[in-house]
Amino acid sequence: MRRKLPLEGVRVVDFTWILAGPYCTRMLADFGAEVIKVQSAETGERESAPGYNNFFNRNKLGVTINMASQKGRDICKRLIKVSDVVVENFSARVLRQWGLDWENARKIRPDIIVVSMSGMGHSGPMRDYVSFGPTLQAMTGLTSLSAFSSDRPLGFGYSYSDHVGGITGAMAVLQALNYRYRTGFGQFVDVAQQEGSAVLLSTAFLECTINGKPPQPRGNRLHHQAAVPHNIYPCEGEDRWVAIAVFTEEEWRSFCRAIGEDGWTRDTRYATVLNRGQNADELDKLVSDWTRQHTAEEVTELLQRAGVRAGVVQSAADLVDHDPQLRARGFWVQAEHPETGDTHLGVYTE
Amino acid sequence: MTTTPQLNDNSALGGIRVLDLCDAKGVYCTKLLAEMGADVVKIEPPGGDPTRAFGPFVHDVPHPERSIFFLHYNTSKRGITLDIEAVEGQKLLKGLVEQADVLVETFAPDYLDSVGLGYPALTAINPGLIMASITDFGQAGPRRHFRSSDLVACAMGGMAHTAGDVDTSPLKPYGNQAYHTASHFAVMGILMALYHRNLTGEGQSIDISMQESIAAVLEHTVVKYFNQGLVPRRQGTLHWSNNFWVFETKDGQALLSTRQRWDDIVGWLESEGMAEDLADPRYQDPGFSAANVLHIIDVLAAFARTKTTAELVEFGQLLRLPYAEVRKVEELIDDTHLIDRGFWVPVEHPELGTTLTYPGAPYKAHRSPWRLKHRAPLIGEHNSEVFQGELGLSGEELTALREGGVI
């Protein structure tokens, strides 16, 4: 007998589009919720890259409803009456105009959960600001701190904050479902995606408010723990790299032994983690001289066997075609859709 | 046995008991559960958790009770000490598991089995137990014993490859994002498992791989490879979609969209006489504008240098352009929007003689509000409350455990 998925029996009306919202409802769908994605008949979703919409809307049902018409809105109300959750990422006024905001939706379905995922939230002076993932990353400091120096911010190169927004939205839905089970009450949740991303700056805020010392960009070096070497190093081949992170003195000795540089452990410049920290640039250069003579895969195997944390800087091709761990765990799933390869979530429930 | 829900408690996870056996990978997971209302008991080895040695420290004075890392990630939890390798420690842990709903742990695969505390042993004590295990590469697979860290997970999971610039090495983005992402997936797994248990009575184990967690939040990266065979490369602040770039302004830096709402961008540039050739109808074609994005950036760069960041962002946002200031983290603290929304939470810390300002709720739930309950626990702060109050030990037994180094 097939085991029940955790969210079977939960029905979600999904008004979301682009990435953050669809990623949120995709996670609910992947774990058994019946997600009904509502789109206007005339406007399909803009495709930002081929396959993008498929990738982030798998496992959902799709309907088209003309929400500009009274009849369309009436059909939507009937849908809400038999649903548990509404998720949307419009600006605040859209649901109200349709008469489907929480105050109105609860008249149709008293225990409905409405989760609204906007960039800045439904209150505050910047509530109408337009934002995408890169906007939020810039506003929260993620872009300026992800850099090798403070005058040249680099950031992520993609919309990490949209994933964070989706995860925050899904957490909001899931906590509300648990609360409803205990009390019978639905509720409204105001997700401001900026806040979901800002909390991930974590200790940086206490560093500012308590010590008055805001963190500075440090590239791939570690901010707070003593760990040297701790960087990304060039390897044999074009644009091939390996990450190496040495934390303890035992790991340092294993590292030196593994790469045939036992002498480094006796060199006063590198004897302790403090010495290594003072001479980190010089040491990184020596480590690079060694890594350059090997493939990233060889370095990873050699150092992992020696108990040192190391890993190939994997590209999309590495992840999909060359990673034995992801393959053994069945991480990538080919869906039946003719054009699409697809991915697991990274959450496994047994 | 599970604790009885308190129906008058307006939190999502009131009445849920969580045992926290986490290192840096999982502490954010248990913080989130605690602030959703669960009673999280953090179990530290006698003497205190190794993360208490992570700097920086409050006022730069190194001390296990002053680690900013520990203070940040352990708010709203209770704290006990326990040696789970000692026979008596294991007995006490099993007693705690009997009363718990959820256990979150981050040990290497097979470790808990080797000390007799794996999922099969614990579920025999408490069949409804939900056990979430967060590891570097997962519980199974040929590399389950490989070791990782935030840096190595960002590399192996695919996040570092697309960050950085053409003339730099790949870059690990700031701030423990591998730990955060693994914790995020663990929280979602636990909330789903709790919902499932409500309806079926069944507990379950949850296997979270930090590498897979990162590989699940790469936006376009694998989409482009699956669908077009393209391997995205790092290209500085130019977003993969060619839609965003960080520009120098008169007084700082701003993120401007380069193609979104094109007519509004061109209209604004024209009104200032700085549009150059961008009004050419060929730019309406997405293929043409993508191919000429570097020229668009040049034109916008000249424009951006004539404006302050505030002028660009405020007027741009009026035009519905997704513009933003590239802020330093300290600039968020005075942000009027976040202050207006009550984002910051003051937390009293009497032992440090100060009030700490924390970032607050990741979402605003109106009926079951997220709540930062209190400061992080001191070492063994709740030992007598938990061991005497909840496991029924006597004062003498507690003293003997302390002297024996079990707690």
Side-chain angles (χ1 to χ4, degrees), chain A residues 52 120 130 139 144 152 163 175 182 187 195 211 213 220 224 304 307 309 321 323 325 329, chain B residues 6 11 55 57 59-60 137 143 147 165 167 172 211-212 219 225 317 327 337 341 367-368:
Chain A
Y52 198 88
M120 306 300 287
V130 185
M139 294 174 93
S144 64
R152 189 181 171 196
H163 284 288
Q175 65 84 28
R182 284 175 52 225
Q187 63 179 308
E195 289 161 13
N211 285 355
K213 285 186 192 163
N220 294 315
H224 305 313
Q304 286 283 354
R309 297 156 220 259
D321 294 333
D323 188 304
Q325 180 71 3
R329 287 171 62 83
Chain B
Q6 302 294 307
S11 68
F57 299 90
H59 301 147
D60 292 320
F137 293 93
R143 289 177 168 176
R147 299 173 73 211
D165 213 338
D167 64 344
K172 180 194 90 72
Q211 182 197 16
E212 288 172 353
E219 209 209 346
Y225 186 66
Q317 284 284 351
R327 289 199 283 197
H337 182 78
R341 283 178 57 82
R367 280 234 202 240
S368 54

Side-chain angles (χ1 to χ4, degrees), chain A residues 3-4 6 10 19 23 27 31 50-52 55-56 120-130 132 134-135 138-141 144-146 148 151-153 156-160 163 167-168 175 178-182 185-190 192 194-195 199-200 202 204-206 208 210-211 213-215 220 223-225 230 232 239 241 243-244 251 301 304 307 309 311-312 314-316 319 321 323 325-326 328-329 331-332 339 345 347-350, chain B residues 6-7 9 11-12 14 28 54-60 72-73 137-143 146-148 151 155-159 161-162 165 167-174 177 180-181 184-185 188 191-192 194-196 198 202 204-207 211-212 216-223 225 227-228 231 233-234 237 239-240 244 253 255 260 317 320 322 324-325 327 329-330 332-333 337 340-341 343-344 356-357 359-360 362-368:
Chain A
R3 238 178 121 170
K4 242 171 100 101
V10 174
L19 176 54
Y23 188 61
M27 289 186 279
F31 287 92
Y52 198 88
F55 197 78
F56 293 112
M120 306 300 287
H122 280 199
S123 66
M126 288 155 87
R127 67 182 174 278
D128 292 325
Y129 267 37
V130 185
F132 289 83
T135 326
M139 294 174 93
T140 53
S144 64
L145 275 170
S146 300
F148 293 94
D151 56 352
R152 189 181 171 196
F156 285 72
Y158 72 95
S159 299
Y160 175 64
H163 284 288
I167 288 166
T168 308
Q175 65 84 28
N178 277 286
Y179 179 75
R180 192 191 66 173
Y181 173 79
R182 284 175 52 225
F185 291 122
Q187 63 179 308
F188 171 65
V189 187
D190 174 13
Q194 186 199 17
E195 289 161 13
V199 295
L200 302 186
S202 62
F205 298 118
L206 287 181
C208 295
I210 292 298
N211 285 355
K213 285 186 192 163
N220 294 315
H223 270 79
H224 305 313
Q225 284 166 273
H230 188 282
I232 288 175
D239 199 32
W241 304 82
I244 301 172
E251 287 169 16
E301 290 289 334
Q304 286 283 354
R309 297 156 220 259
V312 179
Q314 299 209 96
S315 68
L319 289 168
D321 294 333
D323 188 304
Q325 180 71 3
L326 294 179
R329 287 171 62 83
F331 185 71
W332 306 112
E339 293 102 337
L345 253 186
V347 178
Y348 285 77
T349 54
E350 282 173 1
Chain B
Q6 302 294 307
L7 292 182
D9 175 351
S11 68
Y28 186 52
F54 291 7
F57 299 90
V58 173
H59 301 147
D60 292 320
H72 174 79
Y73 285 108
F137 293 93
Q139 298 292 311
R143 289 177 168 176
F146 269 29
R147 299 173 73 211
S148 157
L151 173 76
M156 292 286 267
M159 183 183 263
H161 187 264
T162 51
D165 213 338
D167 64 344
T168 73
S169 76
L171 172 67
K172 180 194 90 72
Y174 174 80
Q177 300 313 331
H180 290 153
T181 306
H184 268 150
F185 282 112
M188 290 190 288
L191 291 174
M192 288 183 203
L194 281 169
Y195 190 74
H196 182 77
N198 289 339
E202 290 172 5
Q204 59 189 311
S205 71
I206 301 170
D207 171 8
Q211 182 197 16
E212 288 172 353
V217 296
L218 300 176
E219 209 209 346
H220 68 300
T221 312
V222 285
V223 178
Y225 186 66
N227 291 281
Q228 296 165 280
V231 178
R233 303 278 282 265
R234 56 192 182 279
T237 65
H239 190 258
W240 68 270
F244 298 93
Q253 288 161 332
L255 178 100
Q260 226 127 23
Q317 284 284 351
R320 314 289 297 151
E325 180 182 359
R327 289 199 283 197
V329 63
E330 57 269 35
L332 262 77
I333 291 161
H337 182 78
D340 189 86
R341 283 178 57 82
F343 179 68
W344 304 106
L356 307 171
T357 301
Y363 55 78
K364 281 193 183 306
H366 286 195
R367 280 234 202 240
S368 54

Side-chain angles (χ1 to χ4, degrees), chain B residues 6 85 104 141 196 264 329 372:
Chain B
Q6 302 294 307
E85 291 191 352
V104 192
H196 182 77
D264 292 321
V329 63
L372 205 164

Side-chain angles (χ1 to χ4, degrees), chain A residues 38-267:
Chain A
V38 180
Q39 288 179 285
S40 298
E42 64 278 17
T43 61
E45 206 165 313
R46 192 173 51 84
E47 182 90 330
S48 32
Y52 198 88
N53 291 343
N54 256 326
F55 197 78
F56 293 112
N57 289 292
R58 69 181 181 211
N59 287 340
K60 302 178 190 176
L61 305 176
V63 299
T64 51
I65 299 177
N66 180 359
M67 295 300 291
S69 74
Q70 187 56 47
K71 263 192 186 161
R73 292 194 294 274
D74 287 344
I75 290 170
C76 213
K77 284 177 186 167
R78 285 168 62 187
L79 202 51
I80 289 172
K81 199 174 172 61
V82 295
S83 296
D84 303 280
V85 181
V86 176
V87 185
E88 58 93 9
N89 61 350
F90 299 118
S91 70
R93 58 187 176 277
V94 176
L95 274 197
R96 212 173 316 129
Q97 275 168 3
W98 293 345
L100 298 174
D101 57 317
W102 185 64
E103 287 300 339
N104 281 302
R106 65 194 285 218
K107 291 178 196 150
I108 306 165
R109 167 97 188 194
D111 63 354
I112 195 80
I113 293 161
V114 176
V115 173
S116 175
M117 300 173 57
S118 59
M120 306 300 287
H122 280 199
S123 66
M126 288 155 87
R127 67 182 174 278
D128 292 325
Y129 267 37
V130 185
S131 68
F132 289 83
T135 326
L136 298 172
Q137 285 153 208
M139 294 174 93
T140 53
L142 280 170
T143 300
S144 64
L145 275 170
S146 300
F148 293 94
S149 68
S150 51
D151 56 352
R152 189 181 171 196
L154 290 170
F156 285 72
Y158 72 95
S159 299
Y160 175 64
S161 282
D162 279 346
H163 284 288
V164 175
I167 288 166
T168 308
M171 286 197 300
V173 170
L174 293 167
Q175 65 84 28
L177 282 170
N178 277 286
Y179 179 75
R180 192 191 66 173
Y181 173 79
R182 284 175 52 225
T183 64
F185 291 122
Q187 63 179 308
F188 171 65
V189 187
D190 174 13
V191 173
Q193 292 181 46
Q194 186 199 17
E195 289 161 13
S197 279
V199 295
L200 302 186
L201 275 290
S202 62
T203 56
F205 298 118
L206 287 181
E207 289 169 52
C208 295
T209 55
I210 292 298
N211 285 355
K213 285 186 192 163
Q216 301 300 316
R218 297 206 63 202
N220 294 315
R221 299 244 169 94
L222 205 58
H223 270 79
H224 305 313
Q225 284 166 273
V228 190
H230 188 282
N231 215 331
I232 288 175
Y233 301 92
C235 292
E236 191 186 307
E238 199 207 327
D239 199 32
R240 299 299 291 170
W241 304 82
V242 70
I244 301 172
V246 174
F247 286 84
T248 65
E249 291 306 312
E250 189 191 341
E251 287 169 16
W252 167 241
R253 287 190 294 271
S254 300
F255 171 75
C256 293
R257 207 175 308 126
I259 71 167
E261 295 288 356
D262 241 348
W264 290 357
T265 60
R266 293 182 295 274
D267 189 322

Side-chain angles (χ1 to χ4, degrees), chain B residues 285-406:
Chain B
D285 171 47
F288 184 84
S289 78
N292 291 283
V293 70
L294 293 179
H295 173 64
I296 295 173
I297 286 170
D298 281 344
V299 177
L300 278 169
F303 173 69
R305 275 193 295 271
T306 67
K307 304 271 177 212
T308 65
T309 302
E311 285 166 350
L312 284 165
V313 172
E314 280 163 27
F315 193 70
Q317 284 284 351
L318 284 176
L319 296 176
R320 314 289 297 151
L321 299 170
Y323 285 8
E325 180 182 359
V326 178
R327 289 199 283 197
K328 301 204 181 311
V329 63
E330 57 269 35
E331 291 169 321
L332 262 77
I333 291 161
D334 302 318
D335 178 78
T336 50
H337 182 78
L338 290 173
I339 292 169
D340 189 86
R341 283 178 57 82
F343 179 68
W344 304 106
V345 183
V347 178
E348 277 183 52
H349 199 308
E351 293 77 10
L352 292 174
T354 185
T355 298
L356 307 171
T357 301
Y358 279 80
Y363 55 78
K364 281 193 183 306
H366 286 195
R367 280 234 202 240
S368 54
W370 179 100
R371 197 180 285 120
L372 205 164
K373 289 178 282 194
H374 54 75
R375 61 145 173 77
L378 308 174
I379 297 171
E381 181 175 353
H382 301 92
N383 277 353
S384 78
E385 187 176 305
V386 171
F387 293 126
Q388 293 184 264
E390 286 160 36
L391 292 184
L393 267 59
S394 67
E396 292 75 44
E397 284 172 306
L398 199 69
T399 309
L401 287 171
R402 195 176 294 122
E403 284 166 1
V406 178

Side-chain angles (χ1 to χ4, degrees), chain B residues 123-134:
Chain B
T123 199
I125 301 168
N126 177 352
L129 182 71
I130 292 161
M131 180 160 158
S133 300
I134 307 173

Side-chain angles (χ1 to χ4, degrees), chain B residues 21-36:
Chain B
L21 280 165
C22 294
D23 66 12
K25 288 190 280 298
V27 275
Y28 186 52
C29 166
T30 46
K31 173 179 160 76
L32 283 164
L33 296 172
E35 285 157 7
M36 289 176 189

